[in-house]
Amino acid sequence: MSIETTGLREAKKRETRQLISDQATRLFMTQGFESTTIAEIATAARVATKTVTNYFPRKEDMAFDHQDAFVASLAETVSARPAGESVLGALRRTFEAGVAAQDPVIGFAGPDFSRMIHESPTLSACLRTLHDRREEALAAALAEATGSSPDDITARTTAALLAAVHRVMFRRIQELTLAGRTNDEIAAVVADEAADAFGLLEPALGHYAVG
C-alpha cells in the first residue's frame, strides 16, 4: 500500500470521526446527553451503529472529543516555557492568552455546550475526571522539570494548587455563560478574577521551578 493511499485512508478516518462527534454533540445539545441513543447518532452521521462504537467506545467521548488536548494543556505549558520563566508565570501567561482568545479549552464553550454539560450527570462527572487527569499530568511535568521522583509531594501539591485555579476559573466561565453573559463580558470579569487567583499563589510559588 502506498504512502498516498495510507494518507487518504487516515484522512477519511479523521473525517468520519469528526462527523460522528459533531452529529452526536448536536443531538446532545438539542435533546440531552442521557436521552440520545447510539442508534440516533449513527443515523444522523449516516454510518452503522458499530462504526460509532468503533470510533467512540464511550458515549461521553463524543462530547469531549478533544479531551487529550485538554488533559495535556497544563503539562505542555510547563514543558514549553522559556528559560527564566517560573511555572506559575508560564501558566498565568497562557491562561491570560486563553482569556483574550476566548479559548474553549479554558471554558469558553458557548451556552449550548455549557448547558449540555451542566444538565448531564454523566458529562459533569466526566469533566471532573478530565480535570483530575490534567492535574496528574501537570504533577508529572513538574516532577520532571525539577528532577524529582514521580511521587514527589512538592510537585504533587504544587500541581494541585495550580490546577485548582484553572478548575475554579473554568467553572466560573461556565457559570457566567449559563447566566447569559456574553463572551466579551465574561472575559473582562475573568481576567480580573484570574489575576487575583494567580496572585494568591505568587508568594509560595513565584520562584518554583524557574526554567
Side-chain angles (χ1 to χ4, degrees), residues 88 92 161 165 193-206:
L88 175 61
R92 182 172 187 167
L161 292 170
V165 171
E193 293 182 346
D196 290 340
F198 281 108
L200 291 172
L201 302 183
E202 186 67 38
L205 300 178

Side-chain angles (χ1 to χ4, degrees), residues 74 91 131 134-135 138 158-168:
L74 303 186
L91 290 172
H131 278 293
R134 185 167 67 162
E135 179 184 321
L138 176 58
T158 300
L161 292 170
L162 292 168
V165 171
H166 287 80
R167 190 187 299 246
V168 167

Side-chain angles (χ1 to χ4, degrees), residues 36 40 53 62 69 98 123 141 173 185 193 208 211:
T36 302
E40 288 174 323
T53 55
M62 287 181 260
L123 292 181
I173 292 169
E185 292 172 335
E193 293 182 346
Y208 175 80

